[in-house]
Amino acid sequence: SALVALTQVQGVEAESLPVALAVSYNSGIDTSEYWKSEKLDGIRAIWDGNQLMTRNGKQIVAPGWFTDGLPEYSLEGELWAGRGNFHIVQQTVLDRTPNDTAWKKIKFMLFDVPHSAGNYKKRYFNLVHFVNTLESDHIKYIEHTPIEDEQELLGYLDTVDGSKGEGLMLRKISSRYQAGRSSDLLKLKKHQDAEAIVIGYKVGNGKYKGQMGALLVQLKS
């Protein structure tokens, strides 16, 4: 991811946090075991009870007012500035000196309580209760809803894609929080993507002379 790349380029060592990772959705699964939500195009963040961190273990320097009201237990969510505004989040979150004006464009969209007991359905209801009690303008939860069947799921994907959304996430409602990659968490997108490590860049030519022309990346393959 971009954050992994920047961490390595800057020479900053950070240890990845033990978080749940998604696998791709395959047709034919029992959709009644999952709840769906929109996949937000932001930066995943973990509140550890004291500070915000990326999933790669890098501290996120947020203004004090942004984290006021967050509990002493951990929460997981997405720092998000609306569809198509990933660049705003990236520029703001990676700044070591927080810019109040920029942070006011960002919401912390929560989706899980990692260390809470119980299955996802219970954790989600606890999360909804916390957000509703807090009544904050920038701390919200990502709505999750049951899936009627695969046809309804794919119809919802079309709706999200048509609104320039990134895709869907599916969470198994009977599962306890489990770090690592598993079928407890699924991602469903119209277009596939992959993560890569930025290892260099190429200088631009023509109208891009004096600018970065392209990134050189290394895939897992």
Side-chain angles (χ1 to χ4, degrees), residues 4 7 23 25 38 43 63 66 73 75-76 82 89-90 92 107 121 151 153 155-156 173 183 188 191 208 212 219-220:
V4 176
T7 298
V23 299
Y25 173 87
E38 181 176 346
I43 289 178
F66 191 87
Y73 54 86
L75 297 171
E76 195 171 350
V89 181
Q90 187 179 42
T92 303
K107 288 182 169 54
K121 185 182 289 189
Q151 182 178 357
L153 176 66
Y156 182 55
I173 57 175
S183 59
L188 175 58
H191 310 285
Y208 298 111
M212 181 177 67
L219 298 170
K220 290 182 179 180

Side-chain angles (χ1 to χ4, degrees), residues 12-95:
V12 178
E13 293 296 330
E15 184 177 350
S16 296
L17 300 179
V19 297
L21 300 173
V23 299
S24 295
Y25 173 87
N26 288 314
S27 181
I29 70 165
D30 186 355
T31 55
S32 67
E33 296 182 353
Y34 292 83
W35 280 356
K36 66 184 184 299
S37 66
E38 181 176 346
K39 186 180 189 300
L40 303 185
D41 54 341
I43 289 178
R44 190 172 183 177
I46 296 90
W47 170 254
D48 67 1
N50 181 56
Q51 63 183 348
L52 280 173
M53 308 285 289
T54 71
R55 81 176 202 191
N56 300 307
K58 186 175 181 181
Q59 182 185 5
I60 296 172
V61 183
W65 59 262
F66 191 87
T67 55
D68 283 347
L70 290 177
E72 294 182 354
Y73 54 86
S74 61
L75 297 171
E76 195 171 350
E78 197 88 0
L79 294 171
W80 189 60
R83 291 169 176 164
N85 288 325
F86 174 75
H87 63 286
I88 294 176
V89 181
Q90 187 179 42
Q91 292 166 2
T92 303
V93 167
L94 295 179
D95 194 342

